[in-house]
Amino acid sequence: MKSPKIRSEKSILLSLLSSLCLGLIACQPTSQTSTESTTSSSEKMPGTGITVRASVGTTTEGVFTTEIINIGLEKLGYKTEAIQQLTPPIAHTVVSNGELDFYGTHWEKLHTAFFENSGGDQKLEKVGVIMKDGLQGYQIDKKTADQYNITTIDQLKNPEIAKLFDSDGDGKANLTGCNAGWGCALVIEHQLDAYELRDTVEHDQGQYEALLADTITRYRQGESILYYAYVPHWLASVLKPDQDAIWLEVPFT
């Protein structure tokens, strides 16, 4: 690549795959109608002789999408190295420094601070879109939502409502949240203050997927659950929106 590049998680899957298809069509052998010497397919590949080094956040779905990007790059002749899993702030920094070539899970808006702190448009380039209309926010189990008519997060300011989601006995709702250093962790911490939820909601942090495993277990045992979710993520196929869980509205953004 000519310069360090970021690929956003609002970044290029459809665009890359479309380009890949066109690239492969262009590289198919065709019948020769002249006496010109033919060049090999490998010589026509745009990535011939170029090694690409990818970084990704510490999530399963991030590795999955970045592997798809790497497969596309390999089809275009690039050589790819093993993906390096890094926290979002570090990933942005190493790409901006040229130590790695792209970051496959940049979230528009959510990772703006990491992008700007790593040099912004002067050192990084956002390329295309992997998935449009990604979602992030708060979910609770549908059974509890229906029983107590809970539709918005500010209802958790009510101690009696918050206690429904108390899993450690301290009287506060336990919110399964994001790893320290993730963009969503910063959002949660900001919104707990902005929505005046500090007195009734506790942000549980650690390894997100391990916390989710515990949350899913509690759900299957019939307990009420509150968690931060984002799409794309495998969780949506386990706790299906509108079937197992609902999104909570927020009073303002």
Side-chain angles (χ1 to χ4, degrees):
M1 293 185 178
K2 293 184 290 186
S3 61
K5 294 184 179 180
I6 277 191
R7 300 186 184 260
S8 342
E9 189 131 341
K10 272 185 128 188
S11 212
I12 134 179
L13 183 53
L14 294 178
S15 299
L16 176 60
L17 294 179
S18 297
S19 298
L20 169 59
C21 292
L22 292 173
L24 290 176
I25 291 170
C27 293
Q28 294 304 310
T30 57
S31 58
Q32 301 299 310
T33 57
S34 70
T35 58
E36 288 182 43
S37 60
T38 60
T39 52
S40 69
S41 295
S42 62
E43 291 175 326
K44 293 180 181 179
M45 289 290 190
T48 301
I50 301 174
T51 298
V52 178
R53 304 157 301 169
S55 63
V56 69
T58 51
T59 62
T60 304
E61 73 285 349
V63 173
F64 180 80
T65 55
T66 304
E67 288 286 12
I68 292 173
I69 294 170
N70 275 352
I71 290 170
L73 290 169
E74 289 167 1
K75 294 291 186 180
L76 292 171
Y78 294 92
K79 180 180 178 182
T80 61
E81 293 187 353
I83 295 169
Q84 295 194 33
Q85 287 188 268
L86 304 166
T87 62
I90 294 174
H92 283 76
T93 298
V94 298
V95 173
S96 72
N97 290 340
E99 299 170 56
L100 296 175
D101 296 305
F102 75 90
Y103 175 56
T105 48
H106 172 84
W107 279 78
E108 190 69 21
K109 304 299 182 186
L110 193 69
H111 289 169
T112 295
F114 307 146
F115 182 82
E116 296 297 337
N117 291 340
S118 299
D121 293 324
Q122 306 251 328
K123 299 193 71 175
L124 298 165
E125 181 181 353
K126 298 178 185 179
V127 184
V129 175
I130 288 177
M131 178 172 286
K132 293 181 179 180
D133 303 323
L135 296 174
Q136 298 212 7
Y138 305 93
Q139 292 189 342
I140 62 173
D141 63 286
K142 190 173 186 302
K143 178 182 176 181
T144 303
D146 290 344
Q147 184 175 350
Y148 294 93
N149 194 29
I150 303 170
T151 59
T152 66
I153 195 167
D154 54 341
Q155 288 176 262
L156 293 171
K157 286 192 288 188
N158 181 339
E160 295 305 313
I161 295 295
K163 283 179 184 178
L164 298 172
F165 305 96
D166 177 14
S167 62
D168 60 10
D170 67 355
K172 291 186 177 183
N174 287 88
L175 167 65
T176 298
C178 297
N179 295 33
W182 286 11
C184 51
L186 300 177
V187 168
I188 293 168
E189 287 298 305
H190 167 71
Q191 291 181 341
L192 287 177
D193 291 325
Y195 302 147
E196 300 178 349
L197 293 167
R198 287 286 181 189
D199 292 339
T200 55
V201 178
E202 181 178 2
H203 182 191
D204 292 343
Q205 291 184 272
Q207 291 299 316
Y208 181 62
E209 303 210 351
L211 292 174
L212 284 183
D214 178 66
T215 302
I216 292 167
T217 297
R218 288 191 286 109
Y219 170 72
R220 289 173 174 169
Q221 292 172 345
E223 298 181 31
S224 302
I225 55 172
L226 166 68
Y227 55 95
Y228 193 88
Y230 58 90
V231 179
H233 192 276
W234 56 262
L235 180 62
S237 65
V238 178
L239 297 176
K240 298 179 177 63
D242 299 322
Q243 180 176 324
D244 300 300
I246 67 156
W247 292 97
L248 292 180
E249 295 181 4
V250 296
F252 55 89
T253 60

